[in-house]
Amino acid sequence: MILRRGTSADVGFLGLMMREAGFPPARRPPLDEALRAPHVAQWLDGWGRDGDLAILAVDDGGALLGAAWCRRFGSDGFPNYGFVDHATPILAIAVDEPHRGRGIGAALLAALAAAAGDAGAPALSLSVGPSNRARRLYERTGFVHVADAPNGQLVMRLPLSPPREPYGC
């Protein structure tokens, strides 16, 4: 598996992954319908703006396996329940179903956290259902529960290391 930075050319795959992340399996709509949902569209509209960052997992044959990405949101507009503050990007992550359980999510999360810290983000945040299996991954990674969202989800935050300073003489 190779991890690489996402670009605006990857927005189609991010849309597929956002459908995975944004809907429970039993209620997952067709892709075109999912992409029109406000809670999905806000993650994709204008992708590539300042502060957008994505890491994609790719197998040896070039097939995309999953993605972790983050975006800064304002507190206005459609509510994003992972919102902590204007400086903290909110994380979304998904691994294509046939590839789950192989450590891809953990690798994506670690790479995105490192890249976001290097870019100067003070933290990452997210929202997750209390019984979602991914919650254990987030807790192992260092996310801590900081609030309860109005929709019953948990808001979690991961403090990031400050950006690395270049060595000087």
Side-chain angles (χ1 to χ4, degrees):
M1 175 184 67
I2 299 163
L3 297 178
R4 68 165 175 83
R5 281 278 180 103
T7 69
S8 58
D10 295 310
V11 74
F13 183 68
L14 294 180
L16 288 170
M17 293 294 93
M18 192 61 223
R19 182 178 71 161
E20 291 289 317
F23 295 94
R27 295 193 327 249
R28 196 163 289 143
L31 181 60
D32 61 333
E33 183 181 327
L35 295 176
R36 289 191 307 269
H39 76 283
V40 170
Q42 70 176 343
W43 283 91
L44 303 170
D45 290 345
W47 179 261
R49 69 185 189 201
D50 187 39
D52 288 350
L53 181 61
I55 304 291
L56 281 68
V58 183
D59 74 9
D60 294 338
L64 295 166
L65 308 174
W69 64 105
C70 62
R71 177 171 246 194
R72 289 186 180 99
F73 290 94
S75 56
D76 56 338
F78 188 81
N80 194 310
Y81 295 112
F83 182 81
V84 172
D85 59 49
H86 295 286
T88 301
I90 302 173
L91 164 79
I93 184 171
V95 174
D96 199 22
E97 194 166 359
H99 306 291
R100 293 179 188 160
R102 298 178 16 205
I104 296 169
L108 285 165
L109 187 53
L112 183 67
D118 285 348
L124 290 172
S125 64
L126 57 83
S127 66
V128 63
S131 61
N132 187 320
R133 291 180 32 204
R135 179 181 173 190
R136 291 192 304 271
L137 169 64
Y138 304 142
E139 290 170 340
R140 279 195 316 269
T141 307
F143 279 86
V144 294
H145 177 210
V146 295
D148 294 322
N151 65 351
Q153 297 215 350
L154 308 175
V155 177
M156 301 182 82
R157 182 178 184 275
L158 174 68
L160 299 176
S161 301
R164 296 184 191 104
E165 294 296 324
Y167 290 102
C169 298

